[in-house]
Amino acid sequence: PVRAALAEWLTWMRPQLITSWENYQQMRFLMWPEYERAGLPEALLFGILAKESNGRVHAVSRAGAAGPMQFMPATGARFGLGWRDGFDTRYDPQLAARASVQYFNERFAELGNDLEFAVAAYNGGEGRALRLKRAAGDKSFWDPSVYGQLPPETRDYVPYVLAAAWLFLHPEDYGLEFPEVAGAATVLRLQQPASIYQLSICLGGPREGYFRALRNLNPRYEPHGAIAAGTELRVPVAVPPVYLAHCVTGPRAELAARLVAAQKQASAIASAAPAAGPAARSYRVRSGDTLSSISRRHGCGGADALARANGLRTPYVIRAGQS
């Protein structure tokens, strides 16, 4: 199974692997020290990151797992992740790495340091992994009588993680060339208000530009929201001189501001509400609620309209207690 996963990472999934590498290198200074202090291998960190999120800090699954390490709300809460001052810390790369270290150390302790079962627990649930481990006795994780009892998703997940970890360690054996990435970061103090979108436009840059790096290094900020002057942002070391040259004054700074303003105008036109309508009111989410069920009970015009009114993005994850 691991060889089969290697073949897929090296063919049609190769762009995802390279993107994961690039994103990880920009966040490495935040994530790797957490694993290093715990004595856990960096290859494991990369394998999980590549399979879970491709190194996109704001990734959210259909099931509600979120962040670079894709913690579900309840599991994240067990390891210190959750809503703090209006921010879901599952999106914080350093805190997510720290929580995953705690999770793996807990799994290794109860699973006899068995790597495959620990990775299976990360995807398929710790209770199931522990029951399988105990029932397996002296049998290998890969024994058909053991491996075959895993859910199909987990049977795929474990080989993918291990294969990505192996390629992280031995790219040259497979003719794989990971690109050089300047992973060092510094702090930039904004001289005037700007959004991450606006900064990404005026900074320009090669290939994919700086949008993903700015998002990953500053997860607390929404991409379209204006960030106040004087705010300090984490940025790649190449950014400050480009910012001073093109984002404070000049043609590119003006162009970026115009393009972002056009985005806001288009969004306002698309989401404009009828002139006359019911007054807004508040509702506190209960366990089991969905946007659709809330909308039906209160006549809100559908889940999409309710999401727009509350600034929610797909996949519209809501939680009990939310207003």
Side-chain angles (χ1 to χ4, degrees):
V2 177
R3 289 188 181 117
L6 283 168
E8 300 209 355
W9 278 125
L10 292 167
T11 53
W12 68 276
M13 292 177 68
R14 195 185 193 101
Q16 296 168 243
L17 185 69
I18 298 299
T19 297
S20 300
W21 164 269
E22 292 173 331
N23 288 338
Y24 173 61
Q25 291 304 307
Q26 291 166 343
M27 300 185 290
R28 185 175 186 263
F29 74 100
L30 295 170
M31 303 184 80
W32 163 232
E34 301 295 332
Y35 269 63
E36 186 177 31
R37 279 192 292 270
L40 293 181
E42 186 175 16
L44 174 61
L45 168 60
F46 177 74
I48 295 289
L49 187 81
K51 184 64 182 78
E52 290 285 3
S53 68
N54 290 150
R56 293 178 295 112
V57 158
H58 293 90
V60 179
S61 77
R62 285 174 294 180
M69 306 303 280
Q70 289 289 279
F71 275 97
M72 292 293 289
T75 307
R78 280 176 48 206
F79 298 98
L81 302 178
W83 287 88
R84 305 286 185 276
D85 300 323
F87 172 65
D88 189 342
T89 57
R90 291 182 295 167
Y91 297 124
D92 186 298
Q94 183 174 16
L95 297 180
R98 185 177 302 167
S100 70
V101 163
Q102 295 169 357
Y103 182 91
F104 272 115
N105 278 338
E106 189 176 277
R107 300 287 72 69
F108 287 137
E110 71 179 10
L111 294 167
N113 290 323
D114 192 306
L115 175 62
E116 287 91 346
F117 275 103
V119 174
Y122 202 93
N123 174 261
E126 55 215 57
R128 177 187 282 119
L130 182 58
R131 289 191 299 273
L132 273 177
K133 174 67 174 174
R134 288 172 173 168
D138 295 332
K139 294 178 182 176
S140 161
F141 174 84
W142 303 106
D143 188 290
S145 66
V146 179
Y147 186 60
Q149 293 188 56
L150 293 166
E153 180 185 336
T154 306
R155 288 201 299 268
D156 289 339
Y157 179 87
V158 176
Y160 275 129
V161 169
L162 298 181
W166 188 254
L167 290 171
F168 178 85
L169 293 171
H170 306 287
E172 66 283 348
D173 291 349
Y174 301 87
L176 176 64
E177 296 182 10
F178 285 123
E180 291 289 332
V181 176
T186 187
V187 172
L188 171 72
R189 185 184 294 272
L190 292 182
Q191 295 193 15
Q192 56 194 26
S195 67
I196 286 177
Y197 255 70
Q198 187 173 338
L199 292 171
S200 301
I201 295 169
C202 66
L203 288 171
R207 197 175 170 228
E208 295 185 358
Y210 292 105
F211 175 74
R212 179 53 52 198
L214 293 176
R215 283 283 275 153
N216 281 355
L217 294 176
N218 302 279
R220 290 178 176 270
Y221 298 105
E222 292 296 328
H224 292 93
I227 304 170
T231 301
E232 291 186 342
L233 300 179
R234 286 194 188 117
V235 298
V237 291
V239 163
V242 182
Y243 172 79
L244 292 174
H246 296 293
C247 295
V248 180
T249 59
R252 264 170 41 189
E254 295 171 4
L255 175 63
R258 288 200 301 273
L259 294 178
V260 170
Q263 273 191 319
K264 292 178 181 176
Q265 292 165 1
S267 177
I269 292 170
S271 61
R281 56 196 186 279
S282 292
Y283 171 79
R284 191 166 296 280
V285 178
R286 300 170 185 169
S287 179
D289 278 345
T290 65
L291 284 185
S292 295
S293 67
I294 295 170
S295 176
R296 282 195 301 272
R297 287 200 301 272
H298 299 278
C300 300
D304 289 341
L306 192 55
R308 283 197 303 271
N310 288 276
L312 299 178
R313 297 172 300 176
T314 55
Y316 302 159
V317 176
I318 59 175
R319 65 191 188 283
Q322 185 175 357
S323 182

